[in-house]
Amino acid sequence: VFTGSLTKFTRDEAKAMAERLGAKVAGSVSKKTDYVVAGEEAGSKLTKARELGVAVLTEDEWLKLIEE
């Protein structure tokens, strides 16, 4: 799940990159969510991810993860 304002890519570009790598990009957070990538001014999705114990990554952390 991507939330907030991304600075390096548009949300559509980030989603396309993740999908090319085999990820399923969702629009909402659930206990089945593996990662939430939180950009600037992330709101309720970030809050829900924290409540559910879902891993939260910054945009830079996500980029580092997909480069590996």
Side-chain angles (χ1 to χ4, degrees):
V1 174
F2 293 96
T3 187
S5 299
L6 302 178
T7 59
K8 300 183 187 313
F9 306 98
T10 66
R11 189 165 302 191
D12 285 341
E13 290 169 335
K15 180 180 177 184
M17 289 174 64
E19 288 174 341
R20 275 196 301 272
L21 295 168
K24 178 182 175 191
V25 180
S28 60
V29 179
S30 75
K31 62 185 176 184
K32 294 181 180 181
T33 303
D34 292 316
Y35 298 105
V36 170
V37 179
E40 296 175 16
E41 299 180 25
S44 61
K45 291 178 188 175
L46 176 58
T47 301
K48 185 163 186 180
R50 289 180 174 153
E51 288 171 358
L52 295 174
V54 173
V56 176
L57 303 175
T58 65
E59 191 174 359
D60 287 335
E61 290 169 332
W62 178 70
L63 287 171
K64 200 176 286 187
L65 178 70
I66 66 171
E67 289 173 356
E68 294 178 357

